[in-house]
Amino acid sequence: MTETLIRETVERLLEKINAISAPGPGYTRPSYSSLESDAHRVIIEEAEALGLEITRDAALNLFARLPGLDRNAPALHIGSHLDTVPMGGAYDGAAGVVGAMALATAFVKSGEAPPTDIVVTVTRAEESVWFPVSYVGSRAALGRLTAPEMQAKRADSGRTLADHMLELGGDPDAVLRNPGLAAARFVELHIEQGPVLDKAGEAFGIVHGVRGGLRYRDARIEGIWAHSGGAPRAARSDAVFALADLIVAMDKAWGAVLDEGHDLAVTFGRVDAATAEHAFAKVPGRVDFCIDIRSDDMAILERVDGMFRDEIAKVEKARGVRVVTGAQSRSQPTRLSSKLGHDIAATAAAFDLKPRFMLSGGGHDAAAFAQAGWESVMVFLRNWNGSHNPDEAMSPADLVQAVRVLHRTWSRR
Amino acid sequence: MTETLIRETVERLLEKINAISAPGPGYTRPSYSSLESDAHRVIIEEAEALGLEITRDAALNLFARLPGLDRNAPALHIGSHLDTVPMGGAYDGAAGVVGAMALATAFVKSGEAPPTDIVVTVTRAEESVWFPVSYVGSRAALGRLTAPEMQAKRADSGRTLADHMLELGGDPDAVLRNPGLAAARFVELHIEQGPVLDKAGEAFGIVHGVRGGLRYRDARIEGIWAHSGGAPRAARSDAVFALADLIVAMDKAWGAVLDEGHDLAVTFGRVDAATAEHAFAKVPGRVDFCIDIRSDDMAILERVDGMFRDEIAKVEKARGVRVVTGAQSRSQPTRLSSKLGHDIAATAAAFDLKPRFMLSGGGHDAAAFAQAGWESVMVFLRNWNGSHNPDEAMSPADLVQAVRVLHRTWSRR
């Protein structure tokens, strides 16, 4: 009965949430957009029907609380986010929110109170492609968002975080005054961003750490514009050739660091030599780009940042160009709760499952909770199409199974 | 007196022509735009004031004829074009038109008839960044434009060449029926696109050949979109890393071919991994690009095209991507008239000048005339800022001196 209930909740809510999107391909719900608010409303209505206690904080994070037997014990927060990257998929964020609602539904419908309060937690603005700030909503809830961050501009609108928050009914000043939630427990269900679980034929895994990142989101190379047939090779300052050198050098550096046994990922996700000024018959005098460096080890991030700067110096000298990196942004590599992870793994064993412990390549709200001193853990669901794209994949059956394991973990049986 | 007259004509006309442009930076007069027509009107008004015989052909090329002593001898056409690349400079094309008007003015005002008719020739649509067809206007005048080329679409509007021509008062059907001008002589003054003359301290040079080109204007690499932190290195199909490999490989190929003593230039003028789908936290699943390969030798163009295809095969295999080159377009390497070149050089000697004979890296209408069997030559003017950019440079004094040499070459003195 519980299994059917969980499956029905998962399927119904995924359909309702993903009916809300800017035009495709894929799903687009910008951070602090009315689309994100509409998706929150789907959860509010469902939570009201279940009789949960609903609150929203000044940053518009949503909390739907189911009372537990010991109301003084630290609550179990469970949830994720409902914003998406531009043209993202159906599951990044949504799967975790829907899974949390299914868990609450399982408790409510069984008539069994959980040992502590369970709080379905729907954060805001997790996808930092919109505002260049990591974990906006969860850090706001934790009292860790700063005044300069509140002035960050959204990539599409150019308007500030404070402005967008205010527009939707939030209170930026109150966010900055907020002492933050007291430390409790946080569990986040999420699709894996990579193919590891799917390739291994495993439905879910337990995440013991979240990679940190070091980024230059607005870097550029300045060369000299010239006619493609007129500028002799030696006299050129070609921004695109310079960037190709830099990318190939960083690819080699990535391989070398991996060969030493460290964790690292390097990505140039956006390259723009396609303005009105660029043309096939012109030597490009400028290219804009970004670089995203991720690792579970801050020392490796620092070292690769140093390698990046060394390669920049080489390219500037060899190509007669100027490289401007722009501002650096960072997120800390974070260790998650091994206690919560082992609690979940112990229950899984009763289902004849042996979930692997793995690293998350992407950042998640669970890291923000861990950094604030919470016991925080993630459960990854297998996904055979990567994330942040319209084809993100997930088997609802895998999510149902993971929710059943969580239900068993925190029920008395 | 003649020198003052030439200088005044050059300066007045450059100012009038460059007052006509889409908003900056630089100068933008698209091929077959009303801006190009407005610039032609400047020349029409000036030519009418000089009493020249003005005609326009079905493709809207402009001819302003000054009768010579022998009206049956092949005329001396002199001119260039008035369209520009997007955000181009003040001199590419304009300098040659203005220089031609200054030559006609010098003959008219001195009262001396030239030995043959002199025809100031202002072509249309020389900058093939707008329509992917080389030398549209001059080849139309020569009866060499084809029906499929007439259907080429302009890069900004998406509308056909025939459509744009019709809109401005031209007659595309008549262009296709046109047998073409009878072979005569063509001289084109033009800024050098590279720094060679300026570095050597020489005011002008004589062009004995024009490079040909082989281009893929709409190529792309298709990879697989993924989360930047989630996709392990070995499992990625990153379109941007693949393009960087390809660019670096073609740069090496370029160096190797030059080392063998051949002529070659390779340019990736436009790279687009900057759509709404691209983001710093996504492994790019697609990048669009173009490649422009130029040489004075068709065999080298073919060989480098082969190297490009070999490198594509390697990159596809190594990176798990698919490279789609799209349509190839070409222009032929062309030898210009050594007779006309030596006539001009002989006069220059009387001015104590010894102009060098050099190759043009860029394509020009002079090549279209040569390919149609005309005696055709170019005179390059030094330029210290490259071409196809807002900072194109030219000393009016250099243009005045070159016009004086041409005037002396075809006057009886």
Side-chain angles (χ1 to χ4, degrees), chain A residues 211 228-229 233 251 292 319, chain B residues 211 228-229 233 251 292 319:
Chain A
R211 275 179 169 163
S228 66
R233 181 172 162 89
D251 186 35
D292 177 27
R319 293 281 183 186
Chain B
R211 275 180 168 162
S228 66
R233 179 172 163 89
D251 186 35
D292 178 27
R319 293 281 182 187

Side-chain angles (χ1 to χ4, degrees), chain B residues 368-391:
Chain B
F369 285 97
Q371 285 161 18
W374 290 43
E375 280 183 31
S376 177
V377 78
M378 296 187 75
V379 175
F380 262 2
L381 301 156
R382 82 177 128 193
N383 159 22
W384 47 96
N385 277 336
S387 85
H388 287 183
N389 75 73
D391 299 323

Side-chain angles (χ1 to χ4, degrees), chain A residues 95-383:
Chain A
V97 172
V98 158
M101 284 301 295
L103 178 69
T105 304
F107 274 106
V108 169
K109 299 290 186 189
S110 71
E112 177 200 17
T116 67
D117 287 6
I118 286 182
V119 184
V120 174
T121 300
V122 190
T123 62
R124 285 274 179 170
E126 194 272 345
E127 297 292 0
S128 65
V129 66
W130 300 106
F131 295 102
V133 177
S134 295
Y135 320 132
V136 168
S138 50
R139 287 176 54 242
L142 293 161
R144 295 163 81 94
L145 204 67
T146 65
E149 288 171 331
M150 198 60 96
Q151 296 308 312
K153 294 192 169 77
R154 203 169 81 179
D156 57 341
S157 70
R159 290 163 50 214
T160 64
L161 173 56
D163 195 15
H164 278 282
M165 202 180 273
L166 207 56
E167 181 180 66
L168 297 180
D171 184 343
D173 291 341
V175 168
L176 296 178
R177 289 193 308 267
N178 175 19
L181 296 170
R185 292 171 294 161
F186 184 72
V187 178
E188 184 168 12
L189 288 156
H190 201 285
I191 54 167
E192 189 198 344
Q193 290 103 323
V196 175
L197 291 170
D198 181 59
K199 291 224 163 119
E202 296 167 14
F204 66 87
I206 292 167
V207 181
H208 62 83
V210 176
R211 275 179 169 163
L214 188 155
R215 292 124 193 187
Y216 297 96
R217 293 168 191 247
D218 293 303
R220 66 179 187 272
I221 300 181
E222 296 171 353
I224 297 172
W225 296 100
H227 186 290
S228 66
R233 181 172 162 89
R236 282 202 190 187
S237 298
D238 184 318
V240 162
F241 274 106
L243 181 59
D245 288 348
L246 194 57
I247 292 172
V248 167
M250 291 310 295
D251 186 35
K252 281 197 188 124
W254 179 14
V257 169
L258 284 191
D259 286 346
E260 291 176 20
H262 302 295
D263 176 58
L264 182 65
V266 176
T267 307
F268 292 80
R270 200 166 187 283
V271 173
D272 188 355
T275 68
E277 209 168 350
H278 292 87
F280 89 90
K282 284 166 87 170
V283 175
R286 173 161 174 164
V287 58
D288 289 71
F289 70 99
C290 60
I291 181 171
D292 177 27
I293 306 166
R294 297 186 184 222
S295 175
D296 67 356
D297 182 346
M298 186 47 83
I300 292 297
L301 290 176
E302 297 281 9
R303 188 173 138 207
V304 175
D305 186 35
M307 293 165 105
F308 181 52
R309 296 183 166 280
D310 289 347
E311 294 300 339
I312 284 173
K314 282 187 216 165
V315 162
E316 286 186 326
K317 193 165 171 207
R319 293 281 183 186
V321 297
R322 180 166 164 255
V323 181
V324 182
T325 59
Q328 186 194 87
S329 66
R330 292 183 176 213
S331 62
Q332 295 290 324
T334 308
R335 202 162 292 280
L336 297 185
S337 165
S338 61
K339 180 186 178 308
L340 281 181
H342 284 103
D343 286 351
I344 296 166
T347 316
F351 286 79
D352 284 333
L353 296 168
K354 197 175 178 307
R356 71 171 63 206
F357 282 72
M358 62 194 299
L359 199 63
S360 169
H364 297 283
D365 286 322
F369 285 96
Q371 285 161 19
W374 289 44
E375 279 182 33
S376 177
V377 78
M378 296 188 74
V379 175
F380 262 2
L381 300 157
R382 83 177 128 192
N383 159 22

Side-chain angles (χ1 to χ4, degrees), chain A residues 14-31:
Chain A
L14 279 175
E15 193 180 327
K16 281 191 179 177
I17 289 167
N18 287 318
I20 299 164
S21 169
Y27 303 90
T28 304
R29 292 186 293 271
S31 302

Side-chain angles (χ1 to χ4, degrees), chain B residues 4 6 12 79 101 137 149 169 185 229 235 305 335 337 366:
Chain B
T4 308
I6 292 172
R12 183 178 64 252
M101 284 301 294
E149 287 172 331
R185 292 171 295 162
D305 186 35
R335 201 162 292 281
S337 166

